[in-house]
């Protein structure tokens, strides 16, 4: 039986980039799909960004492919109103997806599309390993009319399991990023990560997050694996995306221990260009490739998609985020043609 994939197109450009990913997947393998409303679309239909039924369907699937959530329609500072992002956080937590992998590998064809100078980005091939189900994203919150608080909690076990993912993925070294000069959670983080280093044959360094933000644009090719907590990983991965020229290029995989993984682009729902047919579908297509590799153990099919994307870009494919005029349809056709 074909593996069962839950598709969550979500909001904004989400539906427009989901179709292309399914087309590209169809060119390399046979999968069975079930589509569910998610994020703002689910709020409109059901009053909540993630229904119990959708979460259950995801739990039973082999993998979940998600496009993007959110948009001005659901933007609110009212803490009692549902938000599309709650769906994403609920899904990550509900599936126990503690390890978020965000590879950043600018293609030579795109070196000149990056705002950074070619000499700086040449040879960059890094992986952000972001802890995804702990920290300030999931700590207790309080709110009164005049004050608010968010709590950041990490346990030794949470730090250990994500650090092991980073050490296992590293080839040259692990750079653990924290704010140990200020935060207690970061001091525990540093202690736990340092304690594990002896189990692996990979050098480890520690960087404070502010310095890491600077080094990431100053010397991106020095990094191999960046291991960090939830919030720092969120921020640094957007920064790292620009090394590839556009956030429209970055895929991600979120994995837990054994159950279905979640695969999604790093970018958001881009409401400003939704419906124009101009969205870059490549991060979504590359997320589908990560799904084949990490979610379904279909390595050669994953590599075929990645190499088709590389070749399409080398042949000059440029969507508007990369300074070109190719539409979503053109980009999809260019990848399909290479496949
Ligand atoms: C991401 C996004 C999410 C996050 C938002 C939409 C909740 O920015 O996946 O990086 O902060 O994790
Ligand atoms: Mg983010």
């Amino acid at each position: 039986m074909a593996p069962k994939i839950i598709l969550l197109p979500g909001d904004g450009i989400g539906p427009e980039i989901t179709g292309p990913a399914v087309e590209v997947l169809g060119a390399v393998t046979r999968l069975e799909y079930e589509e569910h409303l998610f994020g703002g679309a689910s709020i409109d239909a059901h009053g909540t960004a993630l229904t119990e039924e959708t979460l259950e369907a995801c739990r039973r699937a082999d993998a979940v492919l998600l496009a993007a959530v959110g948009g001005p329609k659901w933007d609110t500072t009212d803490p009692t109103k549902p938000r599309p992002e709650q769906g994403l956080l609920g899904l990550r937590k509900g599936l126990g997806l503690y390890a978020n992998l965000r590879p950043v590998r600018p293609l030579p064809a795109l070196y000149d599309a990056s705002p950074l100078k070619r000499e700086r980005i040449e040879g960059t091939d890094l992986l952000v390993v972001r802890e995804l189900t702990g920290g300030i994203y999931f700590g207790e919150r309080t709110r009164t009319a005049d004050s608010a608080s968010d709590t950041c909690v990490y346990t030794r076990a949470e730090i250990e399991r994500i650090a092991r993912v980073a050490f296992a993925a590293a080839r040259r070294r692990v750079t653990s990023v924290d704010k140990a000069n200020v935060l207690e959670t970061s001091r525990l983080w540093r202690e736990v990560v340092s304690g594990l280093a002896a189990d692996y044959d990979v050098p480890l360094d520690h960087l404070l997050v502010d310095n890491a933000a600077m080094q990431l644009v100053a010397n991106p090719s020095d990094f191999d694996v960046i291991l960090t907590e939830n919030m720092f990983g969120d921020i640094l991965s957007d920064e790292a995306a620009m090394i590839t020229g556009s956030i429209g290029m970055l895929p991600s995989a979120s994995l837990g221990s054994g159950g279905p993984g979640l695969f999604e682009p790093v970018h958001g729902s881009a409401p400003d260009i939704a419906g124009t047919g101009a969205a870059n579908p490549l991060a979504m297509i590359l997320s589908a490739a990560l799904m084949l590799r990490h979610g379904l153990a279909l390595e050669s099919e994953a590599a075929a998609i990645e190499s088709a994307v590389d070749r399409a870009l080398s042949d000059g494919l440029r969507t508007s985020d990369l300074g070109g005029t190719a539409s979503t349809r053109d980009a999809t056709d260019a990848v399909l043609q290479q496949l």
Side-chain angles (χ1 to χ4, degrees), residues 102 130 137 234-235 237-238 266:
R102 298 185 162 182
R130 169 187 175 194
Y137 272 61
D234 178 46
I235 298 167
S237 58
D238 268 37
V266 170

Side-chain angles (χ1 to χ4, degrees), residues 127 129 162-176 192-206 222-227:
L127 175 69
V129 175
I162 189 68
R164 290 201 185 278
V165 171
F167 280 113
R171 284 161 299 179
R172 290 187 287 123
R173 66 189 164 132
V174 170
T175 304
S176 175
V192 172
V193 174
S194 300
L196 283 183
D199 292 357
Y200 298 87
D201 198 16
V202 181
L204 166 70
D205 348 278
H206 301 279
D222 284 358
F223 289 96
D224 175 18
V225 167
I226 297 176
L227 161 64

Side-chain angles (χ1 to χ4, degrees), residues 21-339:
V22 169
E23 283 183 58
V24 169
L25 284 167
V28 297
T29 189
R30 207 173 70 77
L31 302 170
E32 200 189 308
Y33 298 99
E34 185 182 303
E35 200 174 304
H36 287 253
L37 294 175
F38 188 63
S42 175
I43 292 177
D44 289 349
H46 308 294
T48 172
L50 171 64
T51 63
E52 203 36 60
E53 186 213 338
T54 297
L55 178 58
E56 250 328 294
C58 292
R59 285 204 178 103
R60 286 194 307 265
D62 293 293
V64 182
L65 186 59
L66 162 71
V69 294
K73 181 173 177 195
W74 306 281
D75 257 341
T76 172
T77 53
D78 180 345
T80 64
K81 293 255 166 64
R83 293 189 61 93
E85 294 80 4
Q86 289 163 343
L88 191 52
L89 300 179
L91 195 56
R92 290 171 178 171
K93 196 70 169 179
L95 296 177
L97 305 172
Y98 64 87
N100 183 223
L101 312 181
R102 298 185 162 182
V104 179
R105 184 180 53 99
L107 301 173
L110 287 187
Y111 280 166
D112 295 317
S114 171
L116 298 182
K117 289 202 187 74
R118 168 184 276 268
E119 315 77 273
R120 290 211 188 267
I121 55 181
E122 254 164 356
T124 300
D125 183 358
L126 64 85
L127 175 69
V128 178
V129 175
R130 169 187 175 194
E131 200 291 325
L132 204 59
T133 50
I136 200 162
Y137 272 61
F138 292 96
E140 211 172 287
R141 303 184 204 291
T142 66
R143 173 72 184 263
T144 66
D146 302 314
S147 98
S149 70
D150 299 278
T151 318
C152 185
V153 179
Y154 268 110
T155 65
R156 185 173 289 276
E158 284 174 319
I159 301 168
E160 241 188 74
R161 64 182 182 178
I162 189 68
R164 290 201 185 278
V165 171
F167 280 113
R171 284 161 299 179
R172 290 187 287 123
R173 66 189 164 132
V174 170
T175 304
S176 175
V177 173
D178 61 35
K179 188 71 184 173
N181 54 347
V182 177
L183 301 177
E184 207 51 56
T185 42
S186 282
R187 288 189 275 268
L188 178 65
W189 182 279
R190 201 174 270 222
E191 181 189 306
V192 172
V193 174
S194 300
L196 283 183
D199 292 357
Y200 298 87
D201 198 16
V202 181
L204 166 70
D205 348 278
H206 301 279
L207 271 188
L208 296 172
V209 63
D210 47 350
N211 188 16
M214 182 173 74
Q215 298 301 333
L216 201 50
V217 286
N219 303 298
S221 61
D222 284 358
F223 289 96
D224 175 18
V225 167
I226 297 176
L227 161 64
T228 192
E229 59 105 82
N230 205 344
M231 173 85 124
F232 299 156
D234 178 46
I235 298 167
L236 292 180
S237 58
D238 268 37
E239 188 190 4
M242 283 317 285
I243 301 168
T244 64
S246 167
I247 198 166
M249 294 299 302
L250 230 64
S252 83
S254 303
L255 308 172
S257 23
L262 169 67
F263 303 86
E264 55 172 318
V266 170
H267 64 69
S269 61
D272 52 325
I273 59 163
T276 65
N280 179 351
L282 296 179
M284 183 68 180
I285 289 171
L286 292 169
S287 298
L290 289 185
M291 177 179 85
L292 296 179
R293 171 174 300 121
H294 296 289
L296 305 175
L298 295 171
E299 171 57 35
S300 63
E301 289 83 349
I305 291 178
E306 287 165 347
S307 118
V309 169
D310 282 12
R311 279 177 283 128
L313 289 163
S314 304
D315 272 10
L317 168 66
R318 296 288 183 277
T319 40
S320 57
D321 54 312
L322 296 170
T325 57
S327 65
T328 310
R329 186 69 255 163
D330 297 335
T332 310
D333 288 339
V335 174
L336 286 170
Q337 192 134 32
Q338 294 293 342
L339 273 175

